[in-house]
Amino acid sequence: MKAHIKEILLSEEQIQEKVNELAAILSEEYKDKDPVFVGVLKGVVIFFGDIIKRITAPCQIDFMWISSYEGTESAKMIVKRDISCNIEGRHVVILEDIFDTGNSLSFVH
């Protein structure tokens, strides 16, 4: 273990197992719905890649980049990059990284 890491809560294998489970659930749920999977940048990149390559349902992917922090203080939400596809009438699955205040998920919802 690296010196700056105090404790590992889940092993890489445990995380990948959960990613597989979630991908299987999403694949089944959206198999006939032509969903758009939207990743909220930048923190979601690794998780998004891991899960989207396991999704077996036909789908489209897109990204948006928002910011809720300026320095260390919470600030007004800013859209730095919005999605580029038309989502009207489509199922949209938002994938985000760490859920802390909930502000960004509320904003994109």
Side-chain angles (χ1 to χ4, degrees):
M1 185 166 20
K2 297 181 181 180
H4 67 282
I5 299 174
K6 294 181 181 179
E7 179 182 6
I8 296 176
L9 300 177
L10 297 170
S11 70
E12 183 175 346
E13 293 79 19
Q14 289 172 305
I15 293 169
Q16 291 306 316
E17 183 179 312
K18 290 298 180 187
V19 169
N20 289 338
E21 288 176 27
L22 182 56
I25 291 167
L26 291 170
S27 293
E28 181 61 28
E29 177 69 26
Y30 293 101
K31 67 182 175 188
D32 298 320
K33 298 179 180 173
D34 190 32
V36 178
F37 286 85
V38 176
V40 180
L41 297 173
K42 293 183 183 178
V44 78
V45 170
I46 302 300
F47 173 66
F48 192 90
D50 282 350
I51 200 158
I52 206 69
K53 68 185 174 187
R54 291 170 173 85
I55 298 291
T56 59
C59 65
Q60 184 175 359
I61 65 170
D62 206 341
F63 294 94
M64 69 182 308
W65 181 14
I66 61 172
S67 177
S68 62
Y69 295 97
E70 292 178 0
T72 59
E73 298 297 319
S74 213
K76 179 181 173 186
M77 299 299 287
I78 300 166
V79 176
K80 294 188 173 187
R81 182 202 183 277
D82 206 349
I83 59 173
S84 58
C85 68
N86 183 357
I87 60 171
E88 186 174 343
R90 295 183 69 187
H91 292 265
V92 178
V93 180
I94 300 170
L95 300 176
E96 191 177 13
D97 62 337
I98 297 172
F99 186 82
D100 52 7
T101 64
N103 292 337
S104 58
L105 188 57
S106 292
F107 182 75
V108 299
H109 181 263

